[in-house]
Amino acid sequence: STMARTALDEMSNSGAFTRSPSTFRNIISREPGSPFLPESGRYHLYISYACPWASRCLSYLKLKGLNKAISFTSVKPKWERTKEDDAHMGWVFPTSNTEEADAEIDPLHGAKSIRALYELASSNYSGKYTVPVLWDKKLQTIVNNESSEIIRMLNSEFNDIAENANLDLYPDHLRSQIDEVNEWTYDTINNGVYRCGFATKQEPYEEAVKKLYEALDKCEEILEKQRYICGNTLTEADIRLFVTLIRFDEVYAVHFKCNKKQLREYPNLFNYTKDVFQFPGMSSTVNMAHIKKHYYGSHPAINPYGIIPHGPNIDYSSPHDRQKFI
């Protein structure tokens, strides 16, 4: 049988990291006749606090005020064996709710791992067992595991039951701008840090790190003139950028060798990251203990002894200067 895969298997012969696409791509829609209607209590979100892609989705859950309508569970931060009879390492649930702070047993099926959920949803799935997983309790399947699509659904399709229905993070007049920003920030920053960290040869690392810092410099310049990345209102593009920035100095600067400059050496980006962190609902989505335990503990090829660096322990709740943009 083919070996279960993780992101660590996605290195090409050239030494470059290439992320494969997500597989479950159903859409929750308010349209009549939709098999996945936005019903309260029907869906469950499985996340890891460590994972930037999953944290995007949790951010939307909190920002939109959907906590009561959509329940969520976080796995343990450090990858473990997902089955006794093969060597695959991945996201697992604790065996009790007291085993690890902020990690819970699977309340729906008592599954041991995220892998087990994929196997419940599909008997012939051959992709990676990633978070987030948006689960449908009614049809007992995975609706979607692509974070960029899940956040769009959470933004628009649940407004009848969302407490913050008026918050639109993908407004019509900014859509083309948001799409354009997403395109370059994903490639160079969100995935760019992974392309630095997972490179197995010098040349692809150099290429990725060059693109990463060109993009960070570009963000710094944009944020000189406006509060957020697409203007003076918070949008999807900010949430997608934030999940990488919040992990930058604590993890990526060390673990992924993104050390040309730290985030806190960029005045605008650093203050902007604090600003987004302090947006109501956001700080509860950031669990730095989980973040550090995961990265430093789950990639033995990069950090064989799993030592977690002591610092820098940045306080993102400290004052920022972004209110100057009204």
Side-chain angles (χ1 to χ4, degrees), residues 5-150:
R5 290 163 54 80
T6 72
L8 289 169
D9 301 318
E10 298 182 315
M11 322 296 185
S12 66
N13 292 336
S14 69
F17 170 66
T18 315
R19 189 180 295 276
S20 57
S22 307
T23 316
F24 289 90
R25 307 296 282 273
N26 296 303
I27 298 292
I28 295 172
S29 167
R30 287 191 280 192
E31 293 298 311
S34 160
F36 299 98
L37 288 165
E39 297 159 352
S40 185
R42 176 171 172 179
Y43 301 100
H44 190 82
L45 183 67
Y46 291 99
I47 60 123
S48 162
Y49 281 109
C51 169
W53 323 106
S55 295
R56 291 173 171 182
C57 300
L58 183 59
S59 299
Y60 270 70
L61 211 62
K62 302 285 177 127
L63 290 169
K64 290 289 293 187
L66 285 166
N67 323 35
K68 294 191 184 106
I70 302 171
S71 47
F72 80 93
T73 302
S74 174
V75 293
K76 288 168 73 173
K78 196 172 158 183
W79 282 352
E80 293 177 23
R81 296 267 300 260
T82 55
K83 272 195 176 165
E84 275 156 30
D85 55 0
D86 71 31
H88 176 258
M89 303 286 283
W91 303 110
V92 300
F93 295 96
T95 49
S96 76
N97 283 337
T98 53
E99 184 189 327
E100 175 127 29
D102 305 315
E104 303 94 25
I105 55 174
D106 169 24
L108 302 185
H109 327 89
K112 301 269 191 291
S113 66
I114 291 292
R115 178 181 181 175
L117 298 176
Y118 279 84
E119 290 172 346
L120 274 175
S122 167
S123 55
N124 57 2
Y125 180 73
S126 62
K128 294 185 300 171
Y129 306 110
T130 54
V131 284
V133 167
L134 185 58
W135 184 272
D136 181 357
K137 299 183 217 178
K138 189 167 162 183
L139 298 181
Q140 285 296 311
T141 193
I142 295 173
V143 181
N144 198 297
N145 69 336
E146 171 47 59
S147 63
S148 63
E149 293 177 3
I150 295 171

Side-chain angles (χ1 to χ4, degrees), residues 3 20 44 72 95 176 185 195 198 221 227 230 259 268 292 325:
M3 173 63 187
S20 57
H44 190 82
F72 80 93
T95 49
S176 59
T185 54
R195 289 173 60 219
F198 287 171
E221 209 174 301
R227 186 160 182 173
C230 289
N259 70 336
N268 298 330
K292 291 177 78 167
F325 300 105

Side-chain angles (χ1 to χ4, degrees), residues 89-265:
M89 303 286 283
W91 303 110
V92 300
F93 295 96
T95 49
S96 76
N97 283 337
T98 53
E99 184 189 327
E100 175 127 29
D102 305 315
E104 303 94 25
I105 55 174
D106 169 24
L108 302 185
H109 327 89
K112 301 269 191 291
S113 66
I114 291 292
R115 178 181 181 175
L117 298 176
Y118 279 84
E119 290 172 346
L120 274 175
S122 167
S123 55
N124 57 2
Y125 180 73
S126 62
K128 294 185 300 171
Y129 306 110
T130 54
V131 284
V133 167
L134 185 58
W135 184 272
D136 181 357
K137 299 183 217 178
K138 189 167 162 183
L139 298 181
Q140 285 296 311
T141 193
I142 295 173
V143 181
N144 198 297
N145 69 336
E146 171 47 59
S147 63
S148 63
E149 293 177 3
I150 295 171
I151 61 177
R152 297 256 168 111
M153 298 175 222
L154 297 179
N155 183 60
S156 64
E157 298 309 304
F158 288 87
N159 284 338
D160 294 339
I161 49 180
E163 287 169 19
N164 301 330
N166 292 339
L167 177 69
D168 184 1
L169 296 161
Y170 191 57
D172 285 344
H173 68 287
L174 290 175
R175 285 186 179 185
S176 59
Q177 194 186 340
I178 291 167
D179 290 345
E180 187 205 338
V181 167
N182 285 345
E183 200 171 323
W184 62 263
T185 54
Y186 170 79
D187 192 45
T188 56
I189 299 174
N190 301 137
N191 202 41
V193 292
Y194 283 87
R195 289 173 60 219
C196 295
F198 287 171
T200 55
K201 294 195 171 132
Q202 192 68 32
E203 212 169 299
Y205 163 76
E206 297 286 356
E207 188 189 332
V209 94
K210 179 175 180 284
K211 286 182 175 166
L212 167 66
Y213 280 96
E214 283 169 358
L216 289 173
D217 290 345
K218 182 175 174 177
C219 291
E220 181 71 5
E221 209 174 301
I222 291 168
L223 294 169
E224 181 67 37
K225 304 176 193 72
Q226 58 199 43
R227 186 160 182 173
Y228 300 110
I229 208 75
C230 289
N232 284 319
T233 51
L234 187 79
T235 68
E236 174 187 295
D238 298 299
I239 306 306
R240 289 176 47 135
L241 185 55
F242 171 82
V243 295
T244 301
L245 299 180
I246 197 74
R247 289 161 176 74
F248 201 90
D249 286 9
E250 300 285 352
V251 173
Y252 302 144
V254 180
H255 190 61
F256 283 172
K257 304 180 182 69
C258 303
N259 70 336
K260 183 183 172 186
K261 271 173 89 171
Q262 307 237 22
L263 184 73
R264 55 196 191 278
E265 294 174 69

